[in-house]
Amino acid sequence: MKRHALTALLALTAGLLVAPPPAHAAPATGAPARTATEQVLSPTPYQGWNTYFGLGGNFTEQSVREVADALVSRGLARAGYDIVWLDGGWQDPEPRTPAGDLRADRTRFPNGLKPLVDYIHAKGLRAGIYTDVGPYIPGRCGLGSGGGFYQRDADQFAAWEFDAVKVDFLCGIAADLDPKTAYTEFARALRNNASGRPMIFNLCNPVTSPDWGHYPEEQQSTYSWTYAPEIAQSWRTYTDVGFVGDIKFTDVLRNYDANARHPEVAGPGRYNDPDYLAPQLGMTDEEFRTQMTLWSVAAAPLVIGSDVRTLSATSVGILTDPDVLAINQDPAVVQAVRVGPAGTTETWVKRLANGDRAVVLLNRGDTPRILTTTASAVGLSGDRFTLRNAWTDAVTESAGTISAAVPAHGAALFRVGRAHGAPGVPHLTAGLPQVTTVGGDPLPEGSAPVLAGGDEATVELTVRNDGVRPVFDPRVDLAAPDGWAVRPTRHAPKLLAPGDRTTVAFTATLPAAAAPGAATLTATTSYDVLGHGRLRQRTTSTLVVAPAPPDGEVVLSHHTWISATSGWMSPTVDRSVGGGSPISMLGQVYAIGIGVASPSTVRYYVGDRCARLTAVVGIDDAVRNVGPEGGTATFRVVGDGRVLYDSGVVTRDAVRDVDVDLNGVRVLDLAVGDAGDGGYNDRANWAGLTATC
């Protein structure tokens, strides 16, 4: 029977040392009784590194040793990242000896795995390894412990002195196993290993619908929460956070949302696992900082997926920020929950052991926003509160409003508690400079700004005082790229009382020959606070300076786009997504176009220079070689925020002709949606894409 809620403390049948449930709580079904003397294995979320995304499946003893060295030398081990985890690929092409023992690749690990584990331990680190709960099926999965090998493999991992085991379900799903049954049997073998060695058990079932196809609920990762807390230290809550070298912010949010469905099962020694951290694997630094924020408040294991030998100082700084890690490692191990509705902007709160709250102000959108919540909304009472910004280290005092200027795809993270003693520095929020009009026309709500040479734009910035004391003489200065003309048009008042806000404005004019690419606007907000002198905040925004618009009869897929996204991989010009085959629909091959996977948006600057757009849209014939699931999409043409064309749902058995009037359109978006059934098999095409300009 499916459980709709589990007790706050569950006994783990893996036998790996867990605190007892409260006296009034019934033990979990099948779980052995626990005594008060037992301790939790990994009482706070474990941290480490895994080979999968950073090194792929062809790693060697030498490359793993180098990563272990880098974890230590770059300060990551000192910050808690102490598990060096071998994912799939360590095994030999003949993964078992004639006697049935597992063996490592004899070329890449000529000495076997024990010397490597010893090296890792000698660095003060722990070692992790990978297997699958299903039977090894050549050609369908690379390694499996099923088929009668659970105890033999558990004993082998313990004899090699591994400290953690990740157990996949690729062989399991290929063999149509029941995950609960199989994983429970493996947990028993791990608990009863011949060496008596405690090992962290990461239950990794990544199967989801509709991303993988359509599977019974009981076989999916979204069902693991009903049994995994009894047998494992962590369990994956959704599919992989991305593809090797191609991790997208949208998929990070997708995994976080799935991970957030059952916060009640998290606690000391048991963790919902949304998958790996992904610096420099496809996201911007800002987007990765947001992932780190979300994983930290989720009480999630923090496992780095990137090659730590090549990480930038910025990425290492994000991974090792002590205030952020303290929130992740808080001993209460409470998982954050959303306060208020889901949407483009959200508030998430995590209760901390000392009664403080970790508060996240999340901006999923494409434009900067000032976001707010209140202390009462996150469960605090009183009239004065200390706000510690985990990322900037700023400490301010609020009368009850928690506010931050949050960039696109960004998140603010505060530690909030009741204030005591003398009044502190007022919590003043200086917004990010934001383009609100271009050429006198309002920018569409939620649209990222796009400017071109010669444009005149209005830039606004809001300043609000949420402290308990006034601030005096607030001023805002705006800096733009060389050659831009900036003129203030609206100034701040001389005093900003508690609870007051003001909006300042500037006119920014681009030179006619402004170079295309990213441009940065930097605002410096200064103000006087009694007893603290003149304080300053610097905020920045990035906008796009567009390339020249198309001219004449143009193959639009050959024109330079502003930006382009695809649900998996990247948009492909004149080829089906992935680039492996020409664009083909219903047997007809098209020489030009764009191949994408849903969801996708391809953005062009047409600068009010084009009259017509034509195309044929549909699902690529490549999906006819796979199962019947998915392969549906919607296509929309959007001009300056207005929908100019909507295909409705398009299946693999139909195409649609597109013929759209582009008169008056500056910024053109070609958007593909998943038709409500996920992105499985959604290989979508904008074929014959032509603009008349």
Side-chain angles (χ1 to χ4, degrees):
M1 180 178 68
K2 183 174 179 179
R3 299 170 180 83
H4 293 285
L6 297 182
T7 56
L9 292 171
L10 295 173
L12 301 182
T13 58
L16 300 183
L17 307 179
V18 42
H24 64 274
T29 302
R34 298 297 177 196
T35 69
T37 60
E38 290 179 318
Q39 299 176 344
V40 173
L41 180 65
S42 188
T44 59
Y46 58 82
Q47 299 170 245
W49 168 85
N50 183 284
T51 59
Y52 181 73
F53 287 118
L55 299 187
N58 200 35
F59 51 91
T60 65
E61 178 178 352
Q62 181 60 31
S63 63
V64 173
R65 285 182 176 230
E66 290 174 2
V67 168
D69 294 343
L71 286 171
V72 173
S73 66
R74 307 201 69 185
L76 290 158
R78 187 168 57 252
Y81 298 93
D82 67 346
I83 303 178
V84 178
W85 215 313
L86 311 185
D87 210 288
W90 64 267
Q91 71 276 9
D92 194 79
E94 297 178 11
R96 293 192 185 275
T97 67
D101 292 325
L102 287 172
R103 62 182 170 194
D105 185 285
R106 286 168 283 181
T107 300
R108 292 180 287 119
F109 300 92
N111 303 307
L113 293 184
K114 185 61 167 64
L116 176 59
V117 173
D118 291 344
Y119 184 85
I120 292 169
H121 286 162
K123 305 290 291 186
L125 305 171
R126 296 182 286 174
I129 198 166
Y130 165 99
T131 188
D132 193 290
V133 78
Y136 171 50
I137 306 174
R140 300 189 67 183
C141 55
L143 173 66
S145 291
F149 290 101
Y150 288 167
Q151 194 63 62
R152 191 183 197 106
D153 292 354
D155 292 345
Q156 184 68 75
F157 296 151
W160 282 336
E161 297 188 355
F162 278 98
D163 305 287
V165 183
K166 171 182 174 179
V167 187
D168 213 334
F169 198 60
L170 302 180
C171 296
I173 198 66
D176 198 30
L177 298 185
D178 173 63
K180 178 179 179 180
T181 301
Y183 277 125
T184 300
E185 291 176 2
F186 188 91
R188 186 179 299 115
L190 204 63
R191 176 183 74 233
N192 294 327
N193 74 79
S195 303
R197 186 175 184 83
M199 289 178 279
I200 290 170
F201 177 17
N202 173 227
L203 188 158
C204 180
N205 176 6
V207 177
T208 52
S209 292
D211 303 86
W212 285 57
H214 294 286
Y215 291 96
E217 181 183 13
E218 293 80 7
Q219 284 190 313
Q220 298 183 48
S221 61
T222 50
Y223 191 75
S224 298
W225 71 275
T226 67
Y227 62 88
E230 301 176 11
I231 62 173
Q233 276 63 57
S234 63
W235 51 93
R236 282 279 297 278
T237 52
Y238 210 65
T239 191
D240 292 356
V241 75
F243 296 89
V244 174
D246 185 33
I247 295 180
K248 304 177 187 300
F249 183 66
T250 53
D251 291 340
V252 165
L253 294 178
R254 175 202 64 192
N255 276 35
Y256 178 77
D257 290 338
N259 192 77
R261 293 173 187 172
H262 293 286
E264 71 274 14
V265 299
R270 57 187 188 278
Y271 310 106
N272 287 306
D273 176 13
D275 204 14
Y276 300 145
L277 297 169
Q280 298 174 221
L281 292 177
M283 293 186 289
T284 66
D285 289 343
E286 191 67 55
E287 290 169 338
F288 172 58
R289 187 178 291 104
T290 299
Q291 185 193 18
M292 186 69 183
T293 297
L294 296 176
W295 265 229
S296 293
V297 298
L302 301 180
V303 178
I304 304 166
S306 313
D307 185 346
V308 300
R309 297 172 298 178
T310 60
L311 288 181
S312 68
T314 297
S315 294
V316 172
I318 293 171
L319 288 164
T320 59
D321 187 283
D323 294 324
V324 178
L325 290 177
I327 289 170
N328 175 258
Q329 296 291 302
D330 184 78
V333 191
V334 174
Q335 184 172 327
V337 295
R338 191 180 63 243
V339 176
T344 303
T345 61
E346 294 173 345
T347 299
W348 293 78
V349 59
K350 172 185 175 74
R351 180 177 56 80
L352 302 175
N354 70 344
D356 288 355
R357 301 293 189 269
V359 178
V360 176
L361 301 176
L362 172 63
N363 183 5
R364 299 170 182 257
D366 295 329
T367 56
R369 301 281 293 273
I370 288 183
L371 306 184
T372 66
T373 188
T374 63
S376 61
V378 301
L380 294 172
S381 60
D383 53 13
R384 293 173 53 209
F385 302 90
T386 297
L387 275 57
R388 300 178 183 272
N389 189 313
W391 288 115
T392 69
D393 301 328
V395 179
T396 55
E397 186 172 304
S398 169
T401 297
I402 303 164
S403 59
V406 186
H409 299 184
L413 175 59
F414 292 101
R415 186 177 187 121
V416 184
R418 296 185 65 173
H420 303 281
V425 174
H427 184 68
L428 183 136
T429 296
L432 289 87
Q434 193 163 359
V435 174
T436 56
T437 71
V438 179
D441 296 326
L443 194 71
E445 179 69 23
S447 296
V450 176
L451 302 178
D455 279 346
E456 182 178 274
T458 301
V459 180
E460 296 184 338
L461 183 149
T462 297
V463 181
R464 53 183 296 151
N465 180 9
D466 293 314
V468 296
R469 305 168 65 192
V471 300
F472 300 94
D473 194 23
R475 301 178 189 173
V476 180
D477 297 307
L478 182 68
D482 290 344
W484 292 34
V486 176
R487 176 173 55 87
T489 58
R490 191 187 316 144
H491 300 273
K494 290 296 183 182
L495 180 145
L496 208 57
D500 282 355
R501 72 188 72 181
T502 187
T503 299
V504 300
F506 302 83
T507 296
T509 305
L510 281 66
T520 300
L521 299 176
T522 301
T524 301
T525 302
S526 61
Y527 48 97
D528 288 326
V529 175
L530 290 177
H532 295 278
R534 193 149 188 91
L535 305 180
R536 287 172 175 78
Q537 294 186 33
R538 181 171 285 106
T539 55
T540 62
S541 290
T542 301
L543 51 82
V544 171
V545 179
D551 185 21
E553 193 79 12
V554 175
V555 175
L556 196 57
S557 57
H558 296 175
H559 187 69
T560 302
W561 56 49
I562 293 172
S563 60
T565 63
S566 178
W568 57 275
M569 301 191 75
S570 299
T572 310
V573 174
D574 299 342
R575 308 289 285 179
S576 174
V577 66
S581 59
I583 292 172
S584 174
M585 297 181 294
L586 301 182
Q588 181 173 345
V589 175
Y590 296 81
I592 61 172
I594 302 175
V596 299
S598 72
S600 165
T601 301
V602 181
R603 171 167 288 187
Y604 291 100
Y605 178 71
V606 293
D608 194 12
R609 294 276 299 274
C610 297
R612 186 183 182 205
L613 175 77
T614 58
V616 180
V617 298
I619 304 299
D620 196 88
D621 286 337
V623 305
R624 297 188 179 278
N625 299 322
V626 295
E629 300 90 351
T632 59
T634 59
F635 297 80
R636 294 194 308 163
V637 178
V638 181
D640 297 328
R642 288 188 305 116
V643 177
L644 307 177
Y645 169 83
D646 190 332
S647 69
V649 176
V650 179
T651 70
R652 65 182 73 190
D653 297 315
V655 296
R656 300 279 194 276
D657 292 321
V658 178
D659 193 335
V660 178
D661 183 350
L662 293 185
N663 282 291
V665 173
R666 290 184 70 254
V667 179
L668 175 69
D669 289 324
L670 306 179
V672 175
D674 65 7
D677 63 357
Y680 192 70
N681 286 336
D682 287 359
R683 298 180 68 165
N685 296 323
W686 297 91
L689 190 64
T690 304
T692 303
C693 304

